[in-house]
Amino acid sequence: MSDEVPITDGREPAGVVTAMIDHVLGLAVTWTAWDGRPLPAGDRLYTPHKAIRRVTDHLIDHLAELEARLAGERTIPDRWHASACTTPVDLAPFTDQDLDEATSRLTRLGRIWAARLTTLTPDQLDHSPGEGWTFRQIAFHLAGSTYYADAVGNLSAIGSGR
């Protein structure tokens, strides 16, 4: 993921975030076929659980930032280990129940994001309080969370050589 200023366009920020979540969940439905081997992407390893963890953490981190800035408070520093580490939990099988949990978690986070972003005026989206990217830029930055899911990919054909 890049720390460069996100490029925005005419899409609604709420739709950008929910489309990212839809993309992630669209891939996640194939992850119950995962064979337990971490998948390399760049200098990191990814698993279904790690991809879900990273997307979820990313959404939570920036939601906390947005809410703190709207309240005129300082943001809490990011202390995630991010994708630099692969935990024992990341290596667990990805079951139908895990998919259900991930779907519930990410769908709810998407609705929170959509509700929050649609209540902001264009001025608030583009001239956001506090330091950092505008809220519109944050939404478009979150779209890059597809990277984590794409690192795992579509595993529906795992038996055919992936």
Side-chain angles (χ1 to χ4, degrees):
M1 302 256 345
S2 173
D3 287 332
E4 295 178 18
V5 175
I7 297 171
T8 63
D9 57 39
R11 292 177 289 161
E12 288 294 321
V16 170
V17 174
T18 57
M20 176 275 294
I21 291 169
D22 290 345
H23 176 83
V24 170
L25 292 175
L27 288 173
V29 298
T30 72
W31 295 348
T32 57
W34 181 54
D35 64 8
R37 292 180 298 190
L39 302 155
D43 65 344
R44 307 276 166 103
L45 295 174
Y46 289 91
T47 70
H49 283 291
K50 185 174 184 176
I52 295 296
R53 172 174 60 84
R54 288 304 309 130
V55 171
T56 303
D57 291 353
H58 205 199
L59 288 162
I60 291 169
D61 184 43
H62 284 294
L63 184 60
E65 174 190 1
L66 183 149
E67 293 297 336
R69 288 172 57 189
L70 282 171
E73 298 174 0
R74 297 185 73 201
T75 60
I76 299 171
D78 175 355
R79 299 213 194 283
W80 303 113
H81 292 287
S83 59
C85 70
T86 302
T87 70
V89 172
D90 292 335
L91 298 169
F94 193 79
T95 66
D96 289 331
Q97 291 83 11
D98 294 313
L99 176 60
D100 288 344
E101 295 288 323
T103 300
S104 292
R105 185 176 301 114
L106 290 176
T107 300
R108 283 172 173 76
L109 276 169
R111 290 195 67 188
I112 292 168
W113 267 101
R116 169 44 85 192
L117 289 170
T118 57
T119 65
L120 299 175
T121 66
D123 189 59
Q124 288 174 306
L125 288 168
D126 295 320
H127 304 284
S128 309
E131 295 182 22
W133 293 331
T134 68
F135 297 155
R136 183 181 308 275
Q137 289 169 328
I138 290 171
F140 278 76
H141 167 73
L142 287 169
S145 293
T146 58
Y147 174 84
Y148 305 116
D150 290 340
V152 176
N154 182 330
L155 301 182
S156 61
I158 199 160
S160 60
R162 171 151 183 163

